[in-house]
Amino acid sequence: MSQETKTRNKFPAGWDDKKVQEVLTHYEAQGEEAALLEDEAGVENSDTVMSVPHELVPMVRALIAKQSK
């Protein structure tokens, strides 16, 4: 297996290396105050943010997908 194959990432639909780099650049350049405002805006909408143990993530995703149908 080549080094390129080992390090190649699988991206979600619509994402590629360029998109990832754009997101990284955005967050690396973002100041602390702007990051805090963005986090607060995300919490204020209708979504809930919580910590989920890694082993439960697939089950939570499946429940969300089932509910979204």
Side-chain angles (χ1 to χ4, degrees):
M1 187 180 280
S2 72
Q3 183 65 21
E4 181 180 335
T5 303
K6 288 181 187 177
T7 59
R8 183 169 294 180
N9 293 315
K10 289 177 116 178
F11 298 118
W15 284 70
D16 57 16
D17 289 322
K18 182 180 178 199
K19 175 80 170 178
V20 170
Q21 190 56 51
E22 289 171 354
V23 171
L24 287 172
T25 300
H26 167 78
Y27 285 109
E28 288 172 350
Q30 189 177 49
E32 189 173 328
E33 186 174 336
L36 181 59
L37 290 171
E38 186 175 348
D39 289 346
E40 288 175 351
V43 172
E44 290 175 1
N45 67 22
S46 65
D47 296 337
T48 299
V49 178
M50 68 176 66
S51 178
V52 176
H54 294 284
E55 64 271 11
L56 296 179
V57 169
M59 289 180 268
V60 172
R61 285 184 176 157
L63 287 170
I64 292 170
K66 183 177 179 181
Q67 190 69 21
S68 298
K69 291 181 180 180

